[in-house]
Amino acid sequence: MRNNTVLIFLLGFCSFYTQCQTKEPPKPMDTEFTITPCQITYKGKELPLGKPFKEWIKIFGEYNRFVDGVFIWDTLGIGATIHWDAAKYYKDTDYNTRSFIESRPTIELYIFFVNLDSKVGQAGKLQYAWGYYPITKEKEKRMLSPDLEYPDVKPFTQEELTQLKEKHDPKNYIYPFTPYTQTVNLQGAPVKSGMSLEEVNKERSKIKGLEKMGYWDNDGDWSWDSGSTTIKTGEFREQKDHSSICPNQDYWYYITLRYSEGELEYLKISYELYEK
């Protein structure tokens, strides 16, 4: 009996020991973007936030559209902004104007996880497409026909309908035609399309030193909601001051997650210089 007990113990110990020895270490996150308050990389290359916009074109190629101050790469699911005083020159075609824009510093990066085709987009609830009204063939037919329930309401004319469709054309909004679908490495924790704020913070809680992403109260409504994780629409950040995190730099990055109706809309990185 004693020999059997010892044998069972040894077999169990060997099994446990073998599992410990053969357990694989965590695999590196399969991601293109790696983001910290001090450094942003794309496919291993540091992104030149604060540097001339032409450096971004070298990395991502020519942008597809320019809407409301945002340069958009439709196939990559990203957007970027430059120093505001360059945007007003964009519509000119003069070579020097193009050169001027490319020389301006890039100050924001957007990674869009949804676009106008999403449920929240179709409902007109995205931050930069509030009230968006997609006009389907069925809606066109109804809008051009008399309303039997409300006979005093005149139907749209074809010209009015054409103007409305132009106004709500997806090309007039900053959201890329193809949203970003891969995982982003945000300070070692994953962020990807479809993740709730609760799921984001659960992943962050696994990493020592990371704070939860909480509501950034900048709406000016006199209610102090900063740090809340229950609000469904707004911008969410770490609440800590990042100015001391990058001691050898004169800048740092504000990292923001935007949720609309509980849906992860985009991740935004803003370049900030220290105030001296």
Side-chain angles (χ1 to χ4, degrees):
M1 180 69 180
R2 180 182 177 186
N3 290 338
N4 289 340
T5 302
V6 172
L7 179 61
I8 291 171
F9 172 78
L10 289 174
L11 287 173
F13 177 79
C14 291
S15 175
F16 172 79
Y17 181 80
T18 302
Q19 288 176 10
C20 291
Q21 291 299 305
T22 59
K23 185 177 180 180
E24 294 182 3
K27 294 181 180 179
M29 202 180 301
D30 183 15
T31 180
E32 293 179 328
F33 287 99
T34 299
I35 300 168
T36 74
C38 303
Q39 187 182 55
I40 317 295
T41 62
Y42 175 74
K43 294 184 176 180
K45 295 182 179 179
E46 185 170 2
L47 283 183
L49 276 163
K51 301 291 179 63
F53 185 59
K54 64 182 178 182
E55 299 301 321
W56 286 69
I57 295 176
K58 289 178 183 178
I59 294 173
F60 295 113
E62 190 67 31
Y63 54 89
N64 301 108
R65 293 182 293 131
F66 175 79
V67 179
D68 294 337
V70 182
F71 295 90
I72 303 152
W73 285 264
D74 278 313
T75 57
L76 300 179
I78 64 172
T81 68
I82 58 177
H83 197 272
W84 69 269
D85 63 357
K88 61 186 177 182
Y89 295 99
Y90 179 78
K91 292 184 178 179
D92 296 337
T93 56
D94 183 78
Y95 173 78
N96 290 328
T97 297
R98 166 79 181 198
S99 176
F100 175 75
I101 289 174
E102 291 186 355
S103 72
R104 303 304 298 162
T106 307
I107 57 175
E108 288 179 328
L109 167 68
Y110 288 85
I111 302 174
F112 293 98
F113 296 105
V114 296
N115 62 7
L116 294 172
D117 294 330
S118 64
K119 184 177 179 180
V120 68
Q122 293 287 296
K125 298 294 182 68
L126 292 176
Q127 182 181 12
Y128 298 111
W130 191 262
Y132 171 66
Y133 187 75
I135 301 175
T136 62
K137 292 291 184 182
E138 184 180 346
K139 286 181 181 178
E140 278 190 46
K141 186 177 180 179
R142 290 203 308 266
M143 294 167 75
L144 291 170
S145 302
D147 192 324
L148 298 178
E149 187 175 353
Y150 301 99
D152 293 336
V153 178
K154 294 182 179 181
F156 278 74
T157 66
Q158 186 62 57
E159 182 180 359
E160 290 171 336
L161 181 58
T162 299
Q163 291 175 351
L164 187 63
K165 288 175 66 177
E166 174 61 28
K167 177 181 177 182
H168 291 281
D169 192 310
K171 73 176 187 295
N172 296 324
Y173 296 89
I174 69 171
Y175 298 95
F177 298 150
T178 303
Y180 192 77
T181 58
Q182 297 192 46
T183 300
V184 173
N185 180 340
L186 179 57
Q187 297 166 282
V191 172
K192 60 183 178 180
S193 177
M195 287 184 76
S196 66
L197 182 63
E198 182 180 3
E199 290 171 325
V200 168
N201 282 330
K202 182 178 180 180
E203 292 295 334
R204 294 177 66 83
S205 70
K206 300 174 183 178
I207 301 174
K208 185 178 180 180
L210 284 193
E211 292 186 353
K212 67 182 180 181
M213 303 292 277
Y215 180 66
W216 186 254
D217 190 1
N218 61 353
D219 53 18
D221 65 356
W222 297 97
S223 63
W224 188 246
D225 301 317
S226 280
S228 171
T229 58
T230 60
I231 294 173
K232 297 299 183 182
T233 297
E235 295 184 351
F236 296 81
R237 296 178 176 178
E238 279 189 296
Q239 303 299 302
K240 67 170 62 174
D241 178 10
H242 284 167
S243 60
S244 61
I245 294 178
C246 317
N248 298 320
Q249 298 177 180
D250 61 355
Y251 63 88
W252 75 97
Y253 302 121
Y254 274 125
I255 303 166
T256 303
L257 296 180
R258 166 73 190 195
Y259 278 86
S260 293
E261 301 294 311
E263 185 79 15
L264 178 56
E265 184 174 331
Y266 61 74
L267 186 157
K268 181 176 71 173
I269 303 156
S270 303
Y271 172 85
E272 298 282 348
L273 284 170
Y274 290 143
E275 292 186 9
K276 297 182 178 181

